[in-house]
Amino acid sequence: MSSTTPAQPSRASSGSSSTPPPALSLTERRKAATRMEIARAAGGLFARHGLRATRAEDIAQAAGIAPRTFYRYFASKEEAVAPLYAAGAQRWAEAVREAPAGLTVPEALDHAVRHTLSPGGGVSAASWEWVRTLIRLATTSPALRKVWAEVCQEAEDTLAGVLVERDGAGDREAGGSEAGDSEAFGSEAGGSGVGSRGAGDREGGDRKGDDREAQGADNVAEGPGASPDLRFTAAVASAAVRVAVESWATGDAPATGPDGPAALALRNLAALRDFRWERRA
């Protein structure tokens, strides 16, 4: 799922069962803001002129930065819209995280859909039309489709971590063990679009340095994360929402109403009512 209007998720929600991720540092916030400025410039140019007619230099000019700075943040023009795609996925994960603790998994997923896939939930109707354009472009460009697929995978991983947190909180509230190890949160953290791809501030980030750190991390064994059951649950839920948004984007239906992304996602989730959402014993 995606959103072109990043919304800072609420850090507190009555009855929330999970702990929000730590606040970003000033440097991280500056990097995130610059990435999102570039992303908005890229999305606007893609929407107005098309992907093929837009160069990385055009995006840099529209964002008010030098081409060299652009490449410190993104390896290609297609990657520049990743923060736009990821902002909506982040809002979705945050909504699941902040759903009241008493809700079951399917209820928390429905709660998140209703709060993030309808205009007015931090995203205007006009911005949803921008979402439609960017997702349609992903169906015609292999490079952009790869970016969209990577963001969707990262969103699935984030949702799995959120489900681990909710599951662990439920165990503690029921007097269970201190289960629920949390995965590292977010590949594109916050509506501000902090990403696992290259980052740097206006004065000079180091995308290649970040890449080297990521390569180094590949050699380190990961700690415990989501169980296979919770990972499968995250995959099923993510697919239900992704297919809803993609299906809506291919047509001309408004973002509200029975054929909007929220209604389609709720129908997809309802069709899975016999799916065993909770962790298996």
Side-chain angles (χ1 to χ4, degrees):
M1 25 177 308
S2 87
S3 164
T4 55
T5 302
Q8 184 64 37
S10 170
R11 293 296 185 197
S13 178
S14 176
S16 175
S17 63
S18 305
T19 302
L24 300 175
S25 68
L26 177 60
T27 298
E28 289 170 330
R29 291 198 301 271
R30 286 175 175 171
K31 291 177 180 180
T34 302
R35 281 175 57 84
M36 189 55 74
E37 288 177 16
I38 297 171
R40 288 194 186 112
L45 290 172
F46 291 170
R48 289 192 298 272
H49 306 299
L51 180 63
R52 185 171 300 178
T54 301
R55 303 173 303 162
E57 290 77 10
D58 299 325
I59 299 171
Q61 183 178 15
I65 60 174
R68 181 176 61 181
T69 303
F70 173 89
Y71 285 112
R72 287 173 179 155
Y73 286 85
F74 301 104
S76 68
K77 64 180 183 181
E78 290 86 2
E79 281 194 12
V81 294
L84 298 183
Y85 286 145
Q90 178 62 29
R91 292 176 63 251
W92 149 258
E94 284 296 325
V96 175
R97 182 195 301 277
E98 296 175 0
L103 297 185
T104 64
V105 170
E107 289 170 344
L109 296 173
D110 282 2
H111 169 91
V113 165
R114 296 179 192 280
H115 282 74
T116 60
L117 292 188
S118 298
V123 184
S124 67
S127 292
W128 270 107
E129 290 306 313
W130 207 12
V131 172
R132 192 199 305 270
T133 298
L134 291 177
I135 293 179
R136 281 180 173 176
L137 285 173
T139 66
T140 61
S141 165
L144 199 55
R145 189 181 309 124
K146 180 175 181 291
V147 174
W148 170 244
E150 289 175 350
V151 167
C152 289
Q153 180 61 58
E154 291 165 357
E156 180 184 313
D157 293 342
T158 298
L159 180 60
V162 169
L163 294 179
V164 168
E165 293 176 10
R166 290 188 63 89
D167 184 62
D171 285 345
R172 290 190 293 275
E173 289 171 6
S177 63
E178 290 293 327
D181 302 299
S182 298
E183 289 187 340
F185 179 81
S187 303
E188 295 279 344
S192 52
V194 179
S196 60
R197 296 178 184 85
D201 57 21
R202 282 189 184 279
E203 292 73 32
D206 184 3
R207 183 179 60 78
K208 293 181 179 178
D210 287 344
D211 290 343
R212 287 192 296 271
E213 290 179 5
Q215 291 169 2
D218 289 340
N219 297 322
V220 179
E222 294 183 356
S227 67
D229 291 338
L230 288 180
R231 292 197 66 84
F232 185 52
T233 296
V236 171
S238 297
V241 173
R242 175 182 56 78
V243 170
V245 174
E246 290 176 343
S247 298
W248 168 78
T250 61
D252 297 314
T256 57
D259 294 316
L264 293 177
L266 290 172
R267 289 209 294 270
N268 287 351
L269 290 171
L272 297 167
R273 60 184 176 274
D274 293 329
F275 178 76
R276 187 172 180 178
W277 293 102
E278 308 294 345
R279 181 181 58 174
R280 294 158 179 78

